[in-house]
Amino acid sequence: MSDGFDRAPEQTRPLRAPPTSQDKIPQQNSESAMAKPQVVVAPVLMSKLSANAPEFYPSGYSNYTESYEDGCEDYPTLSEYVQDFLNHLTEQPGSFETEIEQFAETLNGWVTTDDALQELVELIYQQATSIPNFSYMGARLCNYLSHHLTISPQSGNFRQLLLQRCRTEYEVKDQAAKGDEVTRKRFHAFVLFLGELYLNLEIKGTNGQVMRADILQVGLRELLNALFSNPVDDNLICAVKLLKLTGSVLEDAWKEKGKTDMEEIIQRIENVVLDANCSRDVKQMLLKLVELRSSNWGRVHATSTYREATPENDPNYFMNEPTFYTSDGVPFTAADPDTWMILMMRWTQR
């Protein structure tokens, strides 16, 4: 098989040594001028390309879904297959949408026992809590598999086993928050992964409505308590990250139930700023979080009705307007004073 880059052999130019004093230079005469020119035949280079050579792919090319369909004799184990896919998603998160369906179909033909399902849950959990950039992708993966894996043994389906695994870590939260630096780092990774799970894990209610897992909402509240009860810098930084990630959603859920949990959390943050022996930078981070929450977590307030909306009373007035560009590539929107003049000029030139 060709390697995809068929190249003709290069022609080599015959080498001649420069003349020496012993060489006789022939005199040109009419006979030599009429002599037939000599034809120099370039040596033929033998191609080293083999018809049995493997198919060539450019560097950076990746096609994960076909890599295990080549009929190779050494099939991977479940652990190897899943770990390869997790590493692939870590390096190329954009491939999730195109390859997750094939991955789930393969697992449905492979994960047929309780032990295999437990192994799958553990592999995903470890990847999501050991690689910081994978916590969000891991939560998306868990949500997809919870709805598309067909195995449901007596020990529990995928989502139930996943929550049981998280509970194991949750139950030692107080010790972990007080532990050494390595223990706390592992605990923080778990906290942030649980936050991503709360945002991404969808559960269907009895009436078919999609909702979040309330058990995770309760768990996040207790994890924040554990972090604030041990107000060292890295614990407080983890609490800030978690609240930036989930604060708006948590507060909305608590308000629907008439709870004041977020008010209590903000009061606790203010007490930490006043009393805790944390660094100045961390205190500034906490104050910024309080400021963010006071601005409704950065969300724009409800807009006026369409007929009543004006640039003065509706902060969203220009938000959804299209962006135009000048001939120099400079963007401008309807909020710019010269926009309408430019648009009118464009229209008249059509």
Side-chain angles (χ1 to χ4, degrees):
M1 182 181 292
S2 171
D3 65 354
F5 289 95
D6 295 332
R7 295 179 296 181
E10 298 180 359
Q11 292 185 350
T12 58
R13 183 177 299 174
L15 300 178
R16 294 181 59 189
T20 62
S21 58
Q22 297 178 352
D23 294 333
K24 294 182 179 180
I25 301 177
Q27 299 291 328
Q28 290 186 354
N29 50 35
S30 59
E31 293 181 0
S32 62
M34 297 296 293
K36 294 182 180 180
Q38 295 182 353
V39 179
V40 180
V41 180
V44 178
L45 297 181
M46 298 300 293
S47 174
K48 295 182 180 180
L49 298 179
S50 171
N52 298 321
E55 188 172 356
F56 174 81
Y57 292 103
S59 61
Y61 176 85
S62 175
N63 191 345
Y64 180 84
T65 57
E66 296 180 359
S67 60
Y68 289 105
E69 299 177 359
D70 296 334
C72 57
E73 296 180 358
D74 297 329
Y75 290 101
T77 63
L78 172 64
S79 176
E80 292 171 340
Y81 174 73
V82 173
Q83 190 61 59
D84 283 350
F85 184 74
L86 296 178
N87 293 339
H88 173 67
L89 281 184
T90 302
E91 296 174 357
Q92 301 183 38
S95 64
F96 180 89
E97 298 292 344
T98 58
E99 299 180 17
I100 184 59
E101 183 177 355
Q102 176 63 43
F103 178 67
E105 289 180 1
T106 302
L107 291 182
N108 278 326
W110 204 334
V111 180
T112 57
T113 65
D114 291 14
D115 290 342
L117 187 59
Q118 287 277 8
E119 184 179 16
L120 173 64
V121 169
E122 185 64 24
L123 286 168
I124 297 175
Y125 176 86
Q126 291 298 332
Q127 186 87 354
T129 56
S130 61
I131 300 180
N133 293 337
F134 195 76
S135 57
Y136 165 70
M137 185 59 65
R140 288 188 66 195
L141 178 60
C142 288
N143 180 60
Y144 188 92
L145 294 181
S146 70
H147 293 287
H148 292 85
L149 282 187
T150 55
I151 182 175
S152 184
Q154 293 182 350
S155 60
N157 57 31
F158 177 86
R159 184 178 68 247
Q160 291 168 334
L161 293 182
L162 173 67
L163 295 180
Q164 288 177 19
R165 179 62 181 88
C166 291
R167 184 174 183 83
T168 301
E169 205 75 24
Y170 169 83
E171 289 176 347
V172 295
K173 56 186 180 300
D174 294 320
Q175 300 92 313
K178 298 176 183 177
D180 57 22
E181 185 176 355
V182 175
T183 302
R184 294 199 307 271
K185 185 176 181 180
R186 185 170 61 248
F187 174 59
H188 299 157
F190 161 69
V191 170
L192 295 178
F193 175 56
L194 204 69
E196 293 287 6
L197 274 181
Y198 176 64
L199 296 179
N200 289 278
L201 193 61
E202 298 174 340
I203 298 178
K204 290 185 178 180
T206 54
N207 297 326
Q209 75 276 22
V210 177
M211 56 187 183
R212 292 188 173 90
D214 283 346
I215 188 65
L216 294 182
Q217 181 186 126
V218 176
L220 292 176
R221 179 68 170 94
E222 293 304 316
L223 290 174
L224 285 168
N225 285 337
L227 292 168
F228 286 126
S229 297
N230 301 275
V232 295
D233 280 6
D234 55 355
N235 278 347
L236 295 176
I237 291 173
C238 178
V240 169
K241 290 180 178 180
L242 178 62
L243 286 170
K244 283 186 175 181
L245 177 68
T246 64
S248 61
V249 179
L250 285 172
E251 183 164 17
D252 289 346
W254 286 328
K255 282 183 176 180
E256 288 180 3
K257 299 177 181 179
K259 295 183 177 181
T260 59
D261 291 50
M262 188 56 69
E263 294 289 347
E264 296 171 6
I265 290 173
I266 295 300
Q267 183 60 54
R268 192 158 191 180
I269 291 175
E270 293 173 349
N271 293 337
V272 168
V273 172
L274 292 175
D275 303 329
N277 188 25
C278 57
S279 69
R280 181 179 178 181
D281 289 343
V282 172
K283 288 184 178 181
Q284 284 294 114
M285 189 180 298
L286 291 168
L287 291 174
K288 287 289 185 182
L289 179 68
V290 174
E291 182 180 348
L292 178 65
R293 188 261 177 172
S294 66
S295 66
N296 194 24
W297 302 100
R299 296 179 293 189
V300 179
H301 297 287
T303 63
S304 303
T305 61
Y306 174 76
R307 293 183 179 179
E308 299 175 352
T310 67
E312 289 73 25
N313 66 16
D314 185 359
N316 284 333
Y317 189 81
F318 295 120
M319 181 173 293
N320 296 321
E321 290 292 331
T323 300
F324 302 94
Y325 295 87
T326 67
S327 58
D328 298 328
V330 179
F332 65 92
T333 66
D336 296 311
D338 297 331
T339 296
W340 299 114
M341 180 62 71
I342 296 174
L343 291 178
M344 288 300 296
M345 291 176 62
R346 285 188 178 183
W347 182 262
T348 55
Q349 291 173 0
R350 291 182 179 179

